[in-house]
Amino acid sequence: MQQICAQSHTGSYYAASVNHKTDYPQLRGEHSADVCVIGAGFTGVSTALHLAEKGYKVHIIEANRVGWGASGRNGGQIIGGISGEQRMAQELGQQGEKIMWDLRWRGHDIIRQRVEKYQIDCDLKWGYLDVAIKPRHLRSQQNEKNYLESHQFPHEVRHLSAAETAELIGTESYIGSLLNMGNGHLHPLNLCIGEALAACSLGATISEQTPVLRIERGAKARVISEQGSVIADSVVLAGNAYHLIEPELRNHLAPVNSFIIATEPLNDAQVERYNREDIAVCDPNFILEYFRLTADKRLLFGGRKTYFGSDPEHIKGMLLPKLRKHYPELAKLNIDYAWGGTIGVTVNRVPQLGKLDDNIFFSQGYSGHGVNVTHLAGQIMADAVSGTLETMDIFAQVKPISIPGLRRLHKPAVSLGMLYYRLKDLL
């Protein structure tokens, strides 16, 4: 994640409960690698681990800390699907649906395999409830259920009535829901750091607190920081919403802010009433709300907002009324943590994977499906670096919509976009 000044982690619940605090050295002097990955979030770390497993010498450069950006501060929900996948399927023609079916779940499989293979302690649990607010949401859920069943989805999927939903999660806010036991939730920062440790165990190296200043292109690229450089055969740009190096990419991506609060731990009776099955919950709006329990039984509640700051008291003030709308009985709980982060949203909602040069690759713009799709993207980037471009080309053929000055004018642009989607949510 690229920033002008290196920073430590935000004051999130995840940073406070992390299993391992990283302290990799800053980049000093000249180094060489087969591949230099810029950004140590899920995309960068997943790419590096895939490449290390293939035998590549990989060096990751991170401006702040491993998992510092959205990868280490998101809602922790593992949601199947790729934003914009229907458009991608149409572009692919007759085989489009089959190809996209495999891709939409591959990130889940990668996470499952890595947690087991490398024994990553990240509170991985399965179970996800897509709740309905309007009748059209119920129709969409029925279509999703039909789609899953037509592809012999191997996990439990079932509709819940309004009463069943209320009985399961202790609120009458919803008119029904779709339970999917193939989706789930986890501690994202512990997963990201665990994968970084796994990559290092295979020979990868990491530099933290090292903002990249520029990339000198050539047959071998040179990635330059203030006090050092890495010469590499290939470079992978994995900064997503925090990317500041290549102007060509910045106008393709709108940074959208998401905020989360975490309560004090619930007691056993509250856990039994409000989420006894320990599932993740999310509504279908663009300006959405989502919540779940943490491993120590805190209620974690989040949503997207036009606010662009990071003041914890302001974040509490925005989210507490929404939490109390669903759970007025929990109004007296202390809010122990409040934090925010930025996700990358593309104008056409399709993730952007491709090349800036023969040996410079990029991946960004997951539009809210980051935990799953970043792990898929890491595999695709690693394959592309090693010469297998077919899957990357599926994404690259959907051309991004570029808005000149989008990064510089992102605050008014995002505010207008959020207003547009708020109106759509109300219909």
Side-chain angles (χ1 to χ4, degrees):
M1 307 290 180
Q2 302 308 300
Q3 294 286 309
I4 297 301
C5 298
Q7 302 178 39
S8 296
H9 282 290
T10 186
S12 69
Y13 162 76
Y14 301 128
S17 58
V18 73
N19 295 329
H20 175 87
K21 292 185 178 180
T22 61
D23 189 22
Y24 296 103
Q26 290 182 314
L27 183 68
R28 298 180 190 277
E30 189 160 279
H31 301 258
S32 63
D34 297 326
V35 185
C36 181
V37 176
I38 303 175
F42 279 141
T43 302
V45 170
S46 180
T47 299
L49 181 49
H50 279 296
L51 287 166
E53 289 173 333
K54 292 173 179 282
Y56 285 82
K57 181 182 178 182
V58 186
H59 193 108
I60 306 173
I61 301 181
E62 165 58 44
N64 302 295
R65 296 288 181 195
V66 172
W68 177 88
S71 298
R73 37 175 127 174
N74 62 72
Q77 301 201 3
I78 313 171
I79 306 170
I82 301 170
S83 182
E85 65 184 82
Q86 291 182 340
R87 177 169 183 174
M88 294 173 65
Q90 291 171 357
E91 294 277 349
L92 292 168
Q94 194 170 11
Q95 295 297 311
E97 184 176 319
K98 181 179 183 300
I99 293 170
M100 295 310 300
W101 170 260
D102 173 61
L103 293 179
R104 82 191 312 252
W105 300 108
R106 194 180 296 173
H108 285 45
D109 295 336
I110 292 168
I111 292 169
R112 281 192 187 93
Q113 292 161 8
R114 285 184 171 171
V115 168
E116 180 178 357
K117 179 177 181 179
Y118 297 106
Q119 294 297 291
I120 300 173
D121 180 9
C122 61
D123 308 328
L124 176 60
K125 301 233 175 126
W126 298 104
Y128 173 86
L129 197 67
D130 185 10
V131 292
I133 302 169
K134 299 176 181 295
R136 62 181 170 86
H137 298 152
L138 293 176
R139 293 191 292 271
S140 294
Q141 289 174 4
Q142 183 61 55
N143 291 337
E144 175 70 5
K145 184 172 183 289
N146 293 342
Y147 177 64
L148 296 174
E149 290 175 346
S150 71
H151 287 81
Q152 290 79 52
F153 189 60
H155 306 284
E156 178 188 5
V157 179
R158 62 186 172 93
H159 279 299
L160 302 182
S161 67
E164 290 170 324
T165 302
E167 200 272 334
L168 182 61
I169 59 172
T171 175
E172 297 181 353
S173 297
Y174 307 109
I175 63 173
S177 59
L178 183 67
L179 178 68
N180 184 332
M181 297 305 294
N183 290 328
H185 59 99
L186 48 67
H187 188 303
L189 184 55
N190 276 335
L191 175 61
C192 193
I193 290 174
E195 290 177 298
L197 291 170
C200 290
S201 75
L202 299 177
T205 51
I206 300 176
S207 297
E208 290 185 314
Q209 302 285 282
T210 303
V212 170
L213 302 178
R214 66 186 185 277
I215 302 170
E216 292 180 354
R217 301 190 189 188
K220 284 185 176 289
R222 188 164 180 250
V223 179
I224 300 170
S225 71
E226 188 175 75
Q227 299 182 66
S229 63
V230 176
I231 296 174
D233 297 321
S234 301
V235 174
V236 176
L237 300 173
N240 198 29
Y242 295 92
H243 174 83
L244 294 174
I245 303 169
E246 294 289 338
E248 184 178 341
L249 297 180
R250 282 153 47 187
N251 290 334
H252 297 166
L253 200 65
V256 173
N257 296 290
S258 189
F259 299 95
I260 304 176
I261 54 176
T263 70
E264 63 182 301
L266 277 60
N267 60 41
D268 291 345
Q270 290 169 327
V271 170
E272 178 68 21
R273 179 174 181 183
Y274 299 117
N275 197 340
R276 67 175 184 274
E277 299 298 329
D278 201 2
I279 58 178
V281 182
C282 187
D283 75 35
N285 286 333
F286 181 85
I287 315 298
L288 52 75
E289 297 170 3
Y290 51 88
F291 49 94
R292 65 181 184 89
L293 296 179
T294 62
D296 58 354
K297 306 310 177 187
R298 300 172 186 274
L299 180 61
L300 186 153
F301 185 93
R304 296 177 187 165
K305 291 289 174 185
T306 55
Y307 174 62
F308 293 96
S310 59
D311 178 65
E313 292 305 314
H314 191 99
I315 295 169
K316 292 177 188 178
M318 290 191 301
L319 291 180
L320 264 176
K322 296 182 177 298
L323 169 61
R324 289 170 176 155
K325 178 183 67 177
H326 303 298
Y327 298 113
E329 306 90 342
L330 301 180
K332 294 183 180 180
L333 282 178
N334 292 325
I335 304 300
D336 288 348
Y337 302 95
W339 70 96
T342 305
I343 64 173
V345 177
T346 61
V347 177
N348 61 6
R349 307 300 300 281
V350 175
Q352 297 165 1
L353 285 70
K355 297 168 66 175
L356 293 179
D357 214 326
D358 288 341
N359 59 349
I360 299 180
F361 304 84
F362 68 89
S363 180
Q364 64 178 21
Y366 312 111
S367 302
H369 286 252
V371 178
N372 167 33
V373 183
T374 50
H375 285 81
L376 165 65
Q379 185 181 70
I380 295 171
M381 290 292 99
D383 287 345
V385 166
S386 59
T388 304
L389 304 175
E390 287 85 351
T391 309
M392 188 185 75
D393 288 344
I394 292 172
F395 291 84
Q397 72 183 42
V398 181
K399 300 303 180 186
I401 298 173
S402 179
I403 301 178
L406 180 60
R407 186 77 192 212
R408 182 170 51 85
L409 301 173
H410 80 276
K411 290 185 178 181
V414 168
S415 295
L416 285 172
M418 295 283 274
L419 176 60
Y420 167 77
Y421 281 108
R422 170 60 72 187
L423 293 173
K424 288 193 70 172
D425 288 342
L426 291 173
L427 294 177

